[in-house]
Amino acid sequence: MGTAATDDAGDGTRALIFALLALACGHMLSTLLRTIPAISLDLMAADFHIEPQALASLTSVYPFAFAAAQIPVGAAMDRFGVRLVSLSLLAGTIVGAIASGLATGPESFAVGQLLLGVATSGMLMCPMTLAAKQLSAARFGLWSGAILSIGNIGMLLSSSPLAFVVDHYGWRAGFWIAGLGGIVVALAVFALVPNQPAEHKDHSSPLSQMIEVLRLGLSRPLRGLIALALVSLATSLVLRGLWAGPWLMQVKGLSRVEAGNQLGAFTLAMIAGPLCMGMIDRRLSRRRELVAGTHLAAALLVTLMALGAPHYAVSVLFGVAVMPPQYDLVLFVLIGLATSAQPLLFGMSRQLVDAQTAGKALAAINLAFFLGAALMQSTTGAVAAFAGLPAVLLFMAAMLLFGTLIFLTYTSSRS
């Protein structure tokens, strides 16, 4: 009897692991699609007969749609269950990838990006929600890190492998491959994710839920965290997903594949970073200082990268025309590690509010992360058109510094 029960428990654990892995692959697909422009922006802009900077601003449709859909998709998961929502989102992702790959101009590309933004908005929430419902708090902490790491593999795929594909088959091939990946992941979700009954926890409208989350996010306890969340993930995502490729190819003269190799190293740092920050956080038990210190370091590192451009301070200091690409490689790895303290903002938000509003506080932080990425992406496109790529990096560094100072102002040392 005991052996049968143990076997059943083991089978249940294995089934849950396979279900989480299938859903996490959806998040991997999301990060791949989000970062395709970093390695192919120049070719896409030439095809559409517009400036790369204008196309960069246009790609912000994706993160704006992604942010706007966060709360409605979360409500749908409560009402209809993770499996149905995940399959619906994957169907939308396949359609969005096809639409982006078939785009003939900026308008049709924007439609594809809008579809992808909405469809991929729940790819992280789906495995997180299933894990939160099925696992203990300790195991959830382990799996939440694993889900994020699996998801960031998508950015590895959009570095050197995507650069090779784009060089040989064109930028549209990236979207065809993502569409095929969507079909494979949908089949895995259909086969492996259980069809659990929906919980019907909250019957209020998505609009009223959005208003409540915004109200909580603007409240004094969370104001500092929201300010930092708006610029933290935005810096790493927009740098990795949009500007790092053009910076390495246009300013540093690297080939597409060479740039992809550097972006791969950047991504590896972003995968390893959250695990390292989690261990440091447990040892130090000084979360506020760790979050602030790493973001100030990231602002300095991005500034140093900008100043390595031709005729800027670091290049002049070392007496070279431009700092070599190896300089950027080291900085990319360090930036990837420094910005990996952002998940600690989730933990801080749970310390600052009561249990009844913890879920909405997490939603507010999550919304700020992705809304900030959308705002940063659209704003930096305008900065690039007006003042060039070094100015984009300096702008991002200034926003990181500003967000960190607001964070320090509104958070107490007890957090």
Side-chain angles (χ1 to χ4, degrees):
M1 188 76 74
T3 303
T6 303
D7 289 344
D8 287 344
D11 290 344
T13 301
R14 279 193 294 273
L16 177 60
I17 288 171
F18 284 126
L20 289 172
L21 289 174
L23 292 169
C25 286
H27 181 41
M28 184 197 307
L29 187 64
S30 169
T31 61
L32 166 64
L33 283 161
R34 188 188 297 126
T35 51
I36 285 176
I39 211 71
S40 53
L41 188 70
D42 55 333
L43 298 178
M44 293 161 67
D47 256 15
F48 298 154
H49 306 293
I50 63 171
E51 290 295 315
Q53 295 88 343
L55 183 59
S57 291
L58 187 66
T59 60
S60 65
V61 169
Y62 185 124
F64 271 119
F66 192 105
Q70 290 289 309
I71 294 173
V73 168
M77 268 189 276
D78 276 343
R79 295 188 182 192
F80 305 112
V82 170
R83 184 174 188 264
L84 180 59
V85 170
S86 177
L87 289 171
S88 302
L89 293 175
L90 284 163
T93 301
I94 294 163
V95 172
I98 292 170
S100 296
L102 291 173
T104 55
E107 297 83 4
S108 52
F109 184 71
V111 171
Q113 292 292 285
L114 177 68
L115 289 170
L116 284 173
V118 173
T120 59
S121 63
M123 294 303 187
L124 176 58
M125 283 193 287
C126 284
M128 289 292 194
T129 301
L130 183 64
K133 290 178 178 177
Q134 299 290 317
L135 299 173
S136 66
R139 292 184 70 202
F140 174 71
L142 174 68
W143 268 98
S144 61
I147 289 164
L148 288 168
S149 293
I150 292 167
N152 282 342
I153 292 172
M155 287 191 279
L156 273 182
L157 297 176
S158 69
S159 54
S160 303
L162 180 65
F164 177 85
V165 169
V166 170
D167 266 347
H168 287 79
Y169 305 105
W171 65 267
R172 296 176 192 273
F175 288 104
W176 304 140
I177 292 170
L180 288 172
I183 293 171
V184 172
V185 175
L187 291 172
V189 169
F190 183 82
L192 298 170
V193 177
N195 191 17
Q196 296 176 319
E199 295 184 12
H200 301 282
K201 281 185 177 176
D202 191 344
H203 290 279
S204 60
S205 70
L207 178 61
S208 64
Q209 293 175 43
M210 175 74 81
I211 291 169
E212 178 61 21
V213 167
L214 292 176
R215 185 200 64 75
L216 185 62
L218 292 172
S219 66
R220 185 173 179 85
L222 291 188
R223 210 170 288 167
L225 277 64
I226 294 294
L228 187 54
L230 282 167
V231 296
S232 174
L233 187 66
T235 300
S236 53
L237 280 188
V238 175
L239 183 59
R240 170 60 187 85
L242 187 60
W243 293 117
W247 173 262
L248 292 169
M249 290 186 282
Q250 295 172 22
V251 177
K252 297 304 175 88
L254 296 187
S255 70
R256 200 174 307 279
V257 172
E258 288 170 336
N261 291 338
Q262 289 218 13
L263 296 183
F266 187 10
T267 306
L268 286 171
M270 293 172 68
I271 291 172
L275 299 174
C276 295
M277 288 299 168
M279 289 187 285
I280 294 169
D281 176 51
R282 282 194 294 273
R283 282 183 177 273
L284 291 181
S285 298
R286 297 183 68 88
R287 185 169 288 172
R288 175 178 180 265
E289 289 79 3
L290 178 60
V291 169
T294 52
H295 283 85
L296 288 173
L300 175 62
L301 293 165
V302 175
T303 300
L304 289 173
M305 182 175 288
L307 297 181
H311 313 301
Y312 276 69
V314 174
S315 297
V316 172
L317 180 66
F318 282 92
V320 295
V322 61
M323 291 300 288
Q326 292 84 349
Y327 173 77
D328 300 272
L329 176 60
V330 172
L331 290 175
F332 276 132
V333 171
L334 293 175
I335 291 166
L337 293 172
T339 55
S340 293
Q342 13 184 260
L344 298 178
L345 292 173
F346 286 120
M348 289 188 73
S349 73
R350 296 188 71 171
Q351 290 175 306
L352 293 170
V353 298
D354 56 37
Q356 286 77 15
T357 53
K360 288 186 172 65
L362 294 177
I365 299 291
N366 201 40
L367 180 61
F369 276 141
F370 292 108
L371 179 60
L375 292 169
M376 182 79 81
Q377 194 158 320
S378 57
T379 307
T380 51
V383 172
F386 180 72
L389 292 179
V392 168
L393 297 182
L394 291 172
F395 174 81
M396 294 169 80
M399 291 299 99
L400 265 181
L401 176 61
F402 186 53
T404 306
L405 292 177
I406 296 176
F407 168 81
L408 286 170
T409 301
Y410 278 99
T411 55
S412 78
S413 59
R414 294 187 302 273
S415 297

